[in-house]
Amino acid sequence: MKIAMFGVTGNVGSVLLEQALDAGHDVEVLVRSPGKLATRSPHLSITEGDACDAAAVESVVAGTDAVLSTLGGFRGPESLSVGTAAIMGAMARHSVRRIVIMQGFHLHIEGDPRNVGKRLIGPIMKTVAPAIVRHAAIMGKAVGESDLDWTIVRAPRVIAGGPTGHMRTGMLKIGPWSTVTCGDVASLMLECLTSDRFVGDAPMIAS
């Protein structure tokens, strides 16, 4: 596939990029600081720009088959809402249907299990990063109401490490103490991208 990727200089994004290239995909990426991107490949095309710049986003999405986004919002929470809106707009104009997004499990989805961990993470995130919570909610609503073939992979605290081979997915009872490796998140996102698994769904993941 030819994949457009956003957020590739982050912990998960960099691993996801490596996995996508190792799987034989051609990848178009948008990065604000290309010098921070260590990966180089003849199958990788790099565009300098910001995810909130609709024109830059469109130049990366045009001609691709699908989109992967690990925009986290810590370097600018508006990238979650404004950036994702720009991505979806470009997808609509270029008839790209499939998008897989990573987000934290603080993002509430109707039907989430009620448990202590879920109740704890909301107040914690609203105290530590209220703007991220707000922009993530805007993004989640927009994606959920779109007609795209979307998946939002929701993760707890991400730690270094490759695929474990025993990740858990679905509507999980996880909390602030839960963790997931970068490799597990990347593996699930790629699996979703190349299949119809979790289309129109927002599974949680934990290692």
Side-chain angles (χ1 to χ4, degrees):
M1 298 176 69
K2 188 173 184 180
I3 304 170
M5 292 184 64
F6 301 87
V8 295
T9 57
N11 292 336
V12 173
S14 58
V15 174
L16 181 58
L17 176 58
E18 292 285 354
Q19 287 193 11
L21 291 169
D22 288 347
H25 300 295
D26 293 316
V27 182
E28 300 272 346
V29 302
L30 180 68
V31 291
R32 280 181 289 192
S33 303
K36 293 182 179 180
L37 189 62
T39 302
R40 292 293 185 272
S41 166
H43 296 281
L44 173 63
S45 178
I46 303 170
T47 298
E48 183 175 358
D50 190 280
C52 293
D53 181 343
V57 168
E58 183 140 10
S59 70
V60 172
V61 172
T64 61
D65 303 307
V67 175
L68 290 169
S69 174
T70 54
L71 294 172
F74 284 99
R75 296 177 183 172
E78 65 279 357
S79 68
L80 291 172
S81 57
V82 178
T84 304
I87 292 169
M88 291 193 298
M91 291 176 67
R93 287 187 289 275
H94 294 277
S95 301
V96 181
R97 297 285 312 160
R98 191 72 171 109
I99 182 170
V100 181
I101 299 168
M102 177 197 167
Q103 189 43 227
F105 85 102
H106 59 82
L107 178 62
H108 179 73
I109 300 294
E110 192 67 32
D112 278 350
R114 296 182 180 275
N115 63 86
V116 173
K118 186 66 174 164
R119 288 197 297 270
L120 284 173
I121 194 64
I124 291 173
M125 285 297 296
K126 286 178 181 178
T127 299
V128 175
I132 288 179
V133 173
R134 183 172 67 255
H135 285 280
I138 294 170
M139 179 275 292
K141 185 174 187 294
V143 171
E145 292 177 350
S146 75
D147 63 354
L148 299 173
D149 296 329
W150 61 268
T151 300
I152 301 176
V153 174
R154 295 181 292 161
R157 182 167 59 91
V158 178
I159 60 174
T164 64
H166 53 75
M167 63 179 165
R168 297 178 293 130
T169 60
M171 294 296 106
L172 307 177
K173 291 187 176 182
I174 55 180
W177 54 82
S178 302
T179 61
V180 65
T181 65
C182 295
D184 275 347
V185 178
S187 293
L188 178 60
M189 292 183 71
L190 271 182
E191 180 185 344
C192 290
L193 192 74
T194 55
S195 70
D196 58 359
R197 190 179 186 196
F198 293 125
V199 171
D201 200 358
M204 297 178 187
I205 180 173
S207 296

mmCIF file of all heavy atoms in Angstrom, residues 69-73 77-88 99-109 131-146 148 150-154 201-202:
data_model
loop_
_atom_site.group_PDB
_atom_site.id
_atom_site.type_symbol
_atom_site.label_atom_id
_atom_site.label_comp_id
_atom_site.label_asym_id
_atom_site.label_seq_id
_atom_site.Cartn_x
_atom_site.Cartn_y
_atom_site.Cartn_z
ATOM 1 N N SER A 69 -2.306 7.895 11.751
ATOM 2 C CA SER A 69 -2.012 9.100 12.521
ATOM 3 C C SER A 69 -1.722 8.760 13.977
ATOM 4 O O SER A 69 -2.523 8.103 14.637
ATOM 5 C CB SER A 69 -3.184 10.086 12.454
ATOM 6 O OG SER A 69 -2.946 11.193 13.312
ATOM 7 N N THR A 70 -0.561 9.236 14.443
ATOM 8 C CA THR A 70 -0.228 9.125 15.865
ATOM 9 C C THR A 70 0.005 10.518 16.446
ATOM 10 O O THR A 70 0.820 10.688 17.348
ATOM 11 C CB THR A 70 1.021 8.237 16.078
ATOM 12 O OG1 THR A 70 2.105 8.738 15.278
ATOM 13 C CG2 THR A 70 0.746 6.800 15.702
ATOM 14 N N LEU A 71 -0.712 11.501 15.923
ATOM 15 C CA LEU A 71 -0.616 12.855 16.457
ATOM 16 C C LEU A 71 -1.024 12.821 17.927
ATOM 17 O O LEU A 71 -2.128 12.395 18.268
ATOM 18 C CB LEU A 71 -1.530 13.801 15.679
ATOM 19 C CG LEU A 71 -1.157 14.042 14.208
ATOM 20 C CD1 LEU A 71 -2.267 14.833 13.510
ATOM 21 C CD2 LEU A 71 0.172 14.787 14.103
ATOM 22 N N GLY A 72 -0.135 13.285 18.796
ATOM 23 C CA GLY A 72 -0.401 13.163 20.224
ATOM 24 C C GLY A 72 -0.917 14.406 20.895
ATOM 25 O O GLY A 72 -1.602 14.345 21.907
ATOM 26 N N GLY A 73 -0.575 15.568 20.377
ATOM 27 C CA GLY A 73 -1.080 16.802 20.928
ATOM 28 C C GLY A 73 -0.210 17.453 21.986
ATOM 29 O O GLY A 73 -0.475 18.578 22.406
ATOM 30 N N PRO A 77 -1.878 20.822 21.128
ATOM 31 C CA PRO A 77 -3.103 20.013 21.198
ATOM 32 C C PRO A 77 -4.065 20.238 20.047
ATOM 33 O O PRO A 77 -4.845 19.351 19.709
ATOM 34 C CB PRO A 77 -3.723 20.431 22.543
ATOM 35 C CG PRO A 77 -3.081 21.727 22.892
ATOM 36 C CD PRO A 77 -1.708 21.662 22.320
ATOM 37 N N GLU A 78 -3.978 21.417 19.408
ATOM 38 C CA GLU A 78 -4.878 21.680 18.286
ATOM 39 C C GLU A 78 -4.620 20.742 17.115
ATOM 40 O O GLU A 78 -5.479 20.580 16.245
ATOM 41 C CB GLU A 78 -4.768 23.141 17.831
ATOM 42 C CG GLU A 78 -3.426 23.541 17.254
ATOM 43 C CD GLU A 78 -2.379 23.857 18.301
ATOM 44 O OE1 GLU A 78 -2.697 23.822 19.505
ATOM 45 O OE2 GLU A 78 -1.228 24.137 17.908
ATOM 46 N N SER A 79 -3.446 20.110 17.084
ATOM 47 C CA SER A 79 -3.173 19.162 15.996
ATOM 48 C C SER A 79 -4.156 17.994 16.035
ATOM 49 O O SER A 79 -4.456 17.394 15.003
ATOM 50 C CB SER A 79 -1.737 18.642 16.074
ATOM 51 O OG SER A 79 -1.538 17.826 17.213
ATOM 52 N N LEU A 80 -4.663 17.683 17.223
ATOM 53 C CA LEU A 80 -5.620 16.580 17.333
ATOM 54 C C LEU A 80 -6.928 16.894 16.630
ATOM 55 O O LEU A 80 -7.468 16.050 15.909
ATOM 56 C CB LEU A 80 -5.898 16.271 18.809
ATOM 57 C CG LEU A 80 -4.758 15.657 19.606
ATOM 58 C CD1 LEU A 80 -5.115 15.584 21.079
ATOM 59 C CD2 LEU A 80 -4.420 14.270 19.069
ATOM 60 N N SER A 81 -7.445 18.100 16.834
ATOM 61 C CA SER A 81 -8.722 18.463 16.226
ATOM 62 C C SER A 81 -8.545 19.101 14.854
ATOM 63 O O SER A 81 -9.095 18.616 13.852
ATOM 64 C CB SER A 81 -9.495 19.415 17.147
ATOM 65 O OG SER A 81 -8.724 20.573 17.447
ATOM 66 N N VAL A 82 -7.741 20.160 14.789
ATOM 67 C CA VAL A 82 -7.541 20.867 13.515
ATOM 68 C C VAL A 82 -6.774 19.997 12.525
ATOM 69 O O VAL A 82 -7.139 19.908 11.348
ATOM 70 C CB VAL A 82 -6.792 22.194 13.750
ATOM 71 C CG1 VAL A 82 -6.544 22.905 12.428
ATOM 72 C CG2 VAL A 82 -7.560 23.089 14.702
ATOM 73 N N GLY A 83 -5.721 19.353 12.998
ATOM 74 C CA GLY A 83 -4.920 18.497 12.126
ATOM 75 C C GLY A 83 -5.709 17.321 11.585
ATOM 76 O O GLY A 83 -5.664 17.027 10.386
ATOM 77 N N THR A 84 -6.457 16.654 12.468
ATOM 78 C CA THR A 84 -7.247 15.503 12.007
ATOM 79 C C THR A 84 -8.355 15.935 11.060
ATOM 80 O O THR A 84 -8.671 15.233 10.097
ATOM 81 C CB THR A 84 -7.836 14.744 13.205
ATOM 82 O OG1 THR A 84 -6.775 14.356 14.085
ATOM 83 C CG2 THR A 84 -8.573 13.489 12.745
ATOM 84 N N ALA A 85 -8.939 17.109 11.310
ATOM 85 C CA ALA A 85 -9.958 17.629 10.389
ATOM 86 C C ALA A 85 -9.354 17.883 9.009
ATOM 87 O O ALA A 85 -9.981 17.597 7.974
ATOM 88 C CB ALA A 85 -10.568 18.908 10.950
ATOM 89 N N ALA A 86 -8.134 18.408 8.981
ATOM 90 C CA ALA A 86 -7.451 18.645 7.706
ATOM 91 C C ALA A 86 -7.186 17.325 6.990
ATOM 92 O O ALA A 86 -7.338 17.219 5.769
ATOM 93 C CB ALA A 86 -6.145 19.396 7.945
ATOM 94 N N ILE A 87 -6.786 16.319 7.753
ATOM 95 C CA ILE A 87 -6.534 14.998 7.172
ATOM 96 C C ILE A 87 -7.814 14.424 6.575
ATOM 97 O O ILE A 87 -7.828 13.939 5.434
ATOM 98 C CB ILE A 87 -5.969 14.042 8.232
ATOM 99 C CG1 ILE A 87 -4.560 14.475 8.656
ATOM 100 C CG2 ILE A 87 -5.942 12.600 7.706
ATOM 101 C CD1 ILE A 87 -4.031 13.762 9.886
ATOM 102 N N MET A 88 -8.908 14.491 7.325
ATOM 103 C CA MET A 88 -10.174 13.935 6.835
ATOM 104 C C MET A 88 -10.676 14.701 5.612
ATOM 105 O O MET A 88 -11.229 14.099 4.681
ATOM 106 C CB MET A 88 -11.220 13.945 7.947
ATOM 107 C CG MET A 88 -10.929 12.963 9.073
ATOM 108 S SD MET A 88 -12.343 12.701 10.189
ATOM 109 C CE MET A 88 -12.563 14.356 10.849
ATOM 110 N N ILE A 99 -8.596 5.097 7.618
ATOM 111 C CA ILE A 99 -7.724 5.834 8.536
ATOM 112 C C ILE A 99 -7.682 5.123 9.880
ATOM 113 O O ILE A 99 -8.716 4.682 10.391
ATOM 114 C CB ILE A 99 -8.187 7.303 8.719
ATOM 115 C CG1 ILE A 99 -7.221 8.059 9.646
ATOM 116 C CG2 ILE A 99 -9.627 7.379 9.223
ATOM 117 C CD1 ILE A 99 -7.452 9.561 9.703
ATOM 118 N N VAL A 100 -6.481 4.979 10.422
ATOM 119 C CA VAL A 100 -6.302 4.393 11.756
ATOM 120 C C VAL A 100 -5.557 5.423 12.597
ATOM 121 O O VAL A 100 -4.487 5.900 12.210
ATOM 122 C CB VAL A 100 -5.517 3.070 11.708
ATOM 123 C CG1 VAL A 100 -5.373 2.496 13.120
ATOM 124 C CG2 VAL A 100 -6.217 2.062 10.794
ATOM 125 N N ILE A 101 -6.141 5.762 13.736
ATOM 126 C CA ILE A 101 -5.641 6.828 14.597
ATOM 127 C C ILE A 101 -5.284 6.252 15.966
ATOM 128 O O ILE A 101 -6.000 5.409 16.503
ATOM 129 C CB ILE A 101 -6.712 7.920 14.780
ATOM 130 C CG1 ILE A 101 -7.068 8.555 13.432
ATOM 131 C CG2 ILE A 101 -6.278 8.977 15.786
ATOM 132 C CD1 ILE A 101 -8.316 9.420 13.476
ATOM 133 N N MET A 102 -4.195 6.730 16.549
ATOM 134 C CA MET A 102 -3.874 6.387 17.927
ATOM 135 C C MET A 102 -4.276 7.536 18.835
ATOM 136 O O MET A 102 -4.058 8.699 18.531
ATOM 137 C CB MET A 102 -2.372 6.128 18.086
ATOM 138 C CG MET A 102 -1.981 5.844 19.534
ATOM 139 S SD MET A 102 -0.219 6.034 19.825
ATOM 140 C CE MET A 102 -0.197 6.018 21.626
ATOM 141 N N GLN A 103 -4.848 7.178 19.984
ATOM 142 C CA GLN A 103 -5.214 8.174 20.982
ATOM 143 C C GLN A 103 -5.155 7.514 22.364
ATOM 144 O O GLN A 103 -5.082 6.290 22.468
ATOM 145 C CB GLN A 103 -6.607 8.732 20.689
ATOM 146 C CG GLN A 103 -7.036 9.916 21.516
ATOM 147 C CD GLN A 103 -5.971 10.979 21.703
ATOM 148 O OE1 GLN A 103 -5.758 11.435 22.808
ATOM 149 N NE2 GLN A 103 -5.288 11.386 20.639
ATOM 150 N N GLY A 104 -5.194 8.303 23.410
ATOM 151 C CA GLY A 104 -5.159 7.762 24.762
ATOM 152 C C GLY A 104 -6.498 7.177 25.163
ATOM 153 O O GLY A 104 -7.544 7.549 24.618
ATOM 154 N N PHE A 105 -6.485 6.275 26.162
ATOM 155 C CA PHE A 105 -7.739 5.654 26.558
ATOM 156 C C PHE A 105 -8.604 6.592 27.406
ATOM 157 O O PHE A 105 -9.721 6.245 27.778
ATOM 158 C CB PHE A 105 -7.486 4.314 27.258
ATOM 159 C CG PHE A 105 -7.190 4.390 28.733
ATOM 160 C CD1 PHE A 105 -8.165 4.091 29.673
ATOM 161 C CD2 PHE A 105 -5.923 4.730 29.185
ATOM 162 C CE1 PHE A 105 -7.886 4.155 31.035
ATOM 163 C CE2 PHE A 105 -5.638 4.778 30.525
ATOM 164 C CZ PHE A 105 -6.624 4.495 31.459
ATOM 165 N N HIS A 106 -8.096 7.810 27.667
ATOM 166 C CA HIS A 106 -8.939 8.815 28.320
ATOM 167 C C HIS A 106 -10.063 9.263 27.395
ATOM 168 O O HIS A 106 -11.074 9.809 27.862
ATOM 169 C CB HIS A 106 -8.093 10.032 28.720
ATOM 170 C CG HIS A 106 -7.399 10.687 27.576
ATOM 171 N ND1 HIS A 106 -8.020 11.596 26.744
ATOM 172 C CD2 HIS A 106 -6.139 10.557 27.091
ATOM 173 C CE1 HIS A 106 -7.176 12.004 25.821
ATOM 174 N NE2 HIS A 106 -6.023 11.384 25.999
ATOM 175 N N LEU A 107 -9.899 9.069 26.082
ATOM 176 C CA LEU A 107 -10.953 9.424 25.129
ATOM 177 C C LEU A 107 -12.157 8.522 25.367
ATOM 178 O O LEU A 107 -12.085 7.313 25.184
ATOM 179 C CB LEU A 107 -10.440 9.267 23.694
ATOM 180 C CG LEU A 107 -11.460 9.568 22.584
ATOM 181 C CD1 LEU A 107 -11.920 11.023 22.650
ATOM 182 C CD2 LEU A 107 -10.870 9.257 21.219
ATOM 183 N N HIS A 108 -13.258 9.114 25.775
ATOM 184 C CA HIS A 108 -14.444 8.326 26.116
ATOM 185 C C HIS A 108 -15.226 7.947 24.866
ATOM 186 O O HIS A 108 -15.457 8.765 23.985
ATOM 187 C CB HIS A 108 -15.353 9.102 27.064
ATOM 188 C CG HIS A 108 -16.601 8.354 27.429
ATOM 189 N ND1 HIS A 108 -16.602 7.276 28.293
ATOM 190 C CD2 HIS A 108 -17.890 8.509 27.010
ATOM 191 C CE1 HIS A 108 -17.823 6.813 28.416
ATOM 192 N NE2 HIS A 108 -18.627 7.531 27.645
ATOM 193 N N ILE A 109 -15.631 6.694 24.833
ATOM 194 C CA ILE A 109 -16.474 6.169 23.761
ATOM 195 C C ILE A 109 -17.682 5.509 24.401
ATOM 196 O O ILE A 109 -17.560 4.806 25.410
ATOM 197 C CB ILE A 109 -15.715 5.141 22.898
ATOM 198 C CG1 ILE A 109 -14.482 5.782 22.255
ATOM 199 C CG2 ILE A 109 -16.641 4.547 21.830
ATOM 200 C CD1 ILE A 109 -14.760 6.863 21.233
ATOM 201 N N ALA A 131 -6.156 20.694 27.709
ATOM 202 C CA ALA A 131 -6.323 21.024 26.289
ATOM 203 C C ALA A 131 -6.319 19.770 25.429
ATOM 204 O O ALA A 131 -7.066 19.669 24.448
ATOM 205 C CB ALA A 131 -5.223 21.978 25.836
ATOM 206 N N ILE A 132 -5.484 18.811 25.784
ATOM 207 C CA ILE A 132 -5.441 17.559 25.031
ATOM 208 C C ILE A 132 -6.772 16.827 25.157
ATOM 209 O O ILE A 132 -7.307 16.301 24.171
ATOM 210 C CB ILE A 132 -4.284 16.677 25.511
ATOM 211 C CG1 ILE A 132 -2.951 17.262 25.045
ATOM 212 C CG2 ILE A 132 -4.441 15.236 25.002
ATOM 213 C CD1 ILE A 132 -1.743 16.482 25.484
ATOM 214 N N VAL A 133 -7.322 16.784 26.365
ATOM 215 C CA VAL A 133 -8.622 16.131 26.573
ATOM 216 C C VAL A 133 -9.689 16.792 25.710
ATOM 217 O O VAL A 133 -10.488 16.119 25.056
ATOM 218 C CB VAL A 133 -9.020 16.188 28.061
ATOM 219 C CG1 VAL A 133 -10.446 15.669 28.254
ATOM 220 C CG2 VAL A 133 -8.048 15.368 28.907
ATOM 221 N N ARG A 134 -9.695 18.122 25.698
ATOM 222 C CA ARG A 134 -10.705 18.865 24.938
ATOM 223 C C ARG A 134 -10.569 18.628 23.442
ATOM 224 O O ARG A 134 -11.558 18.316 22.743
ATOM 225 C CB ARG A 134 -10.590 20.358 25.248
ATOM 226 C CG ARG A 134 -11.656 21.210 24.563
ATOM 227 C CD ARG A 134 -11.629 22.646 25.059
ATOM 228 N NE ARG A 134 -10.403 23.357 24.659
ATOM 229 C CZ ARG A 134 -9.395 23.631 25.470
ATOM 230 N NH1 ARG A 134 -9.423 23.230 26.733
ATOM 231 N NH2 ARG A 134 -8.339 24.298 25.031
ATOM 232 N N HIS A 135 -9.352 18.750 22.924
ATOM 233 C CA HIS A 135 -9.154 18.573 21.481
ATOM 234 C C HIS A 135 -9.325 17.113 21.049
ATOM 235 O O HIS A 135 -9.784 16.846 19.937
ATOM 236 C CB HIS A 135 -7.780 19.103 21.072
ATOM 237 C CG HIS A 135 -7.710 20.593 21.027
ATOM 238 N ND1 HIS A 135 -8.188 21.339 19.969
ATOM 239 C CD2 HIS A 135 -7.228 21.498 21.920
ATOM 240 C CE1 HIS A 135 -8.004 22.625 20.199
ATOM 241 N NE2 HIS A 135 -7.421 22.747 21.373
ATOM 242 N N ALA A 136 -8.974 16.187 21.935
ATOM 243 C CA ALA A 136 -9.173 14.763 21.609
ATOM 244 C C ALA A 136 -10.660 14.451 21.508
ATOM 245 O O ALA A 136 -11.086 13.683 20.632
ATOM 246 C CB ALA A 136 -8.512 13.889 22.666
ATOM 247 N N ALA A 137 -11.463 15.045 22.387
ATOM 248 C CA ALA A 137 -12.907 14.816 22.342
ATOM 249 C C ALA A 137 -13.510 15.370 21.062
ATOM 250 O O ALA A 137 -14.374 14.735 20.439
ATOM 251 C CB ALA A 137 -13.565 15.456 23.565
ATOM 252 N N ILE A 138 -13.042 16.543 20.647
ATOM 253 C CA ILE A 138 -13.517 17.128 19.388
ATOM 254 C C ILE A 138 -13.151 16.219 18.222
ATOM 255 O O ILE A 138 -13.962 15.949 17.328
ATOM 256 C CB ILE A 138 -12.907 18.531 19.186
ATOM 257 C CG1 ILE A 138 -13.412 19.497 20.252
ATOM 258 C CG2 ILE A 138 -13.231 19.067 17.786
ATOM 259 C CD1 ILE A 138 -12.691 20.825 20.288
ATOM 260 N N MET A 139 -11.910 15.752 18.230
ATOM 261 C CA MET A 139 -11.447 14.849 17.174
ATOM 262 C C MET A 139 -12.256 13.559 17.155
ATOM 263 O O MET A 139 -12.714 13.105 16.102
ATOM 264 C CB MET A 139 -9.964 14.534 17.379
ATOM 265 C CG MET A 139 -9.360 13.591 16.354
ATOM 266 S SD MET A 139 -9.586 11.828 16.742
ATOM 267 C CE MET A 139 -8.548 11.675 18.202
ATOM 268 N N GLY A 140 -12.439 12.946 18.329
ATOM 269 C CA GLY A 140 -13.161 11.681 18.397
ATOM 270 C C GLY A 140 -14.581 11.787 17.870
ATOM 271 O O GLY A 140 -15.067 10.897 17.169
ATOM 272 N N LYS A 141 -15.245 12.884 18.204
ATOM 273 C CA LYS A 141 -16.620 13.097 17.737
ATOM 274 C C LYS A 141 -16.653 13.247 16.223
ATOM 275 O O LYS A 141 -17.501 12.650 15.542
ATOM 276 C CB LYS A 141 -17.208 14.335 18.414
ATOM 277 C CG LYS A 141 -18.684 14.588 18.093
ATOM 278 C CD LYS A 141 -19.202 15.757 18.922
ATOM 279 C CE LYS A 141 -20.709 15.938 18.749
ATOM 280 N NZ LYS A 141 -21.085 16.334 17.387
ATOM 281 N N ALA A 142 -15.722 14.046 15.687
ATOM 282 C CA ALA A 142 -15.697 14.271 14.239
ATOM 283 C C ALA A 142 -15.402 12.985 13.472
ATOM 284 O O ALA A 142 -16.039 12.695 12.454
ATOM 285 C CB ALA A 142 -14.652 15.338 13.903
ATOM 286 N N VAL A 143 -14.442 12.218 13.957
ATOM 287 C CA VAL A 143 -14.099 10.959 13.296
ATOM 288 C C VAL A 143 -15.268 9.979 13.377
ATOM 289 O O VAL A 143 -15.642 9.342 12.386
ATOM 290 C CB VAL A 143 -12.837 10.340 13.932
ATOM 291 C CG1 VAL A 143 -12.600 8.927 13.391
ATOM 292 C CG2 VAL A 143 -11.623 11.206 13.660
ATOM 293 N N GLY A 144 -15.869 9.874 14.559
ATOM 294 C CA GLY A 144 -16.975 8.947 14.739
ATOM 295 C C GLY A 144 -18.192 9.260 13.896
ATOM 296 O O GLY A 144 -18.945 8.358 13.515
ATOM 297 N N GLU A 145 -18.391 10.537 13.600
ATOM 298 C CA GLU A 145 -19.553 10.943 12.806
ATOM 299 C C GLU A 145 -19.258 10.970 11.309
ATOM 300 O O GLU A 145 -20.159 11.213 10.509
ATOM 301 C CB GLU A 145 -20.019 12.335 13.258
ATOM 302 C CG GLU A 145 -20.611 12.337 14.662
ATOM 303 C CD GLU A 145 -21.012 13.727 15.137
ATOM 304 O OE1 GLU A 145 -20.640 14.708 14.443
ATOM 305 O OE2 GLU A 145 -21.666 13.826 16.178
ATOM 306 N N SER A 146 -18.008 10.719 10.933
ATOM 307 C CA SER A 146 -17.641 10.740 9.517
ATOM 308 C C SER A 146 -18.079 9.445 8.832
ATOM 309 O O SER A 146 -18.431 8.467 9.490
ATOM 310 C CB SER A 146 -16.126 10.907 9.363
ATOM 311 O OG SER A 146 -15.454 9.698 9.683
ATOM 312 N N LEU A 148 -15.980 7.805 6.946
ATOM 313 C CA LEU A 148 -14.731 7.118 6.638
ATOM 314 C C LEU A 148 -14.705 5.725 7.265
ATOM 315 O O LEU A 148 -15.469 5.429 8.189
ATOM 316 C CB LEU A 148 -13.537 7.925 7.160
ATOM 317 C CG LEU A 148 -13.336 9.322 6.589
ATOM 318 C CD1 LEU A 148 -12.213 10.035 7.333
ATOM 319 C CD2 LEU A 148 -13.029 9.254 5.100
ATOM 320 N N TRP A 150 -12.940 4.204 9.659
ATOM 321 C CA TRP A 150 -12.021 4.661 10.693
ATOM 322 C C TRP A 150 -11.850 3.642 11.815
ATOM 323 O O TRP A 150 -12.726 2.821 12.067
ATOM 324 C CB TRP A 150 -12.497 5.986 11.280
ATOM 325 C CG TRP A 150 -13.864 5.912 11.930
ATOM 326 C CD1 TRP A 150 -15.068 6.169 11.323
ATOM 327 C CD2 TRP A 150 -14.165 5.550 13.288
ATOM 328 N NE1 TRP A 150 -16.101 5.986 12.212
ATOM 329 C CE2 TRP A 150 -15.579 5.613 13.425
ATOM 330 C CE3 TRP A 150 -13.396 5.182 14.388
ATOM 331 C CZ2 TRP A 150 -16.230 5.320 14.635
ATOM 332 C CZ3 TRP A 150 -14.039 4.878 15.586
ATOM 333 C CH2 TRP A 150 -15.427 4.951 15.708
ATOM 334 N N THR A 151 -10.717 3.740 12.467
ATOM 335 C CA THR A 151 -10.442 3.008 13.704
ATOM 336 C C THR A 151 -9.622 3.930 14.597
ATOM 337 O O THR A 151 -8.674 4.568 14.128
ATOM 338 C CB THR A 151 -9.629 1.725 13.450
ATOM 339 O OG1 THR A 151 -10.369 0.861 12.571
ATOM 340 C CG2 THR A 151 -9.365 0.982 14.764
ATOM 341 N N ILE A 152 -9.992 4.019 15.871
ATOM 342 C CA ILE A 152 -9.200 4.759 16.853
ATOM 343 C C ILE A 152 -8.668 3.752 17.868
ATOM 344 O O ILE A 152 -9.446 3.133 18.599
ATOM 345 C CB ILE A 152 -10.020 5.844 17.567
ATOM 346 C CG1 ILE A 152 -10.585 6.857 16.563
ATOM 347 C CG2 ILE A 152 -9.147 6.558 18.610
ATOM 348 C CD1 ILE A 152 -11.491 7.910 17.192
ATOM 349 N N VAL A 153 -7.369 3.558 17.880
ATOM 350 C CA VAL A 153 -6.727 2.645 18.834
ATOM 351 C C VAL A 153 -6.396 3.446 20.087
ATOM 352 O O VAL A 153 -5.610 4.398 20.027
ATOM 353 C CB VAL A 153 -5.449 2.022 18.233
ATOM 354 C CG1 VAL A 153 -4.712 1.197 19.286
ATOM 355 C CG2 VAL A 153 -5.805 1.157 17.026
ATOM 356 N N ARG A 154 -6.985 3.069 21.227
ATOM 357 C CA ARG A 154 -6.807 3.839 22.459
ATOM 358 C C ARG A 154 -5.858 3.113 23.406
ATOM 359 O O ARG A 154 -6.097 1.968 23.784
ATOM 360 C CB ARG A 154 -8.155 4.080 23.120
ATOM 361 C CG ARG A 154 -9.077 4.970 22.286
ATOM 362 C CD ARG A 154 -10.385 5.211 22.985
ATOM 363 N NE ARG A 154 -11.183 3.999 23.081
ATOM 364 C CZ ARG A 154 -12.184 3.826 23.948
ATOM 365 N NH1 ARG A 154 -12.481 4.793 24.805
ATOM 366 N NH2 ARG A 154 -12.878 2.703 23.959
ATOM 367 N N ASP A 201 -14.742 1.412 14.954
ATOM 368 C CA ASP A 201 -14.631 1.044 16.366
ATOM 369 C C ASP A 201 -13.416 1.724 16.978
ATOM 370 O O ASP A 201 -12.529 2.209 16.269
ATOM 371 C CB ASP A 201 -14.521 -0.474 16.487
ATOM 372 C CG ASP A 201 -14.892 -0.978 17.870
ATOM 373 O OD1 ASP A 201 -15.204 -0.155 18.745
ATOM 374 O OD2 ASP A 201 -14.869 -2.210 18.069
ATOM 375 N N ALA A 202 -13.365 1.752 18.306
ATOM 376 C CA ALA A 202 -12.264 2.395 19.027
ATOM 377 C C ALA A 202 -11.747 1.450 20.116
ATOM 378 O O ALA A 202 -11.990 1.684 21.313
ATOM 379 C CB ALA A 202 -12.714 3.720 19.623
#
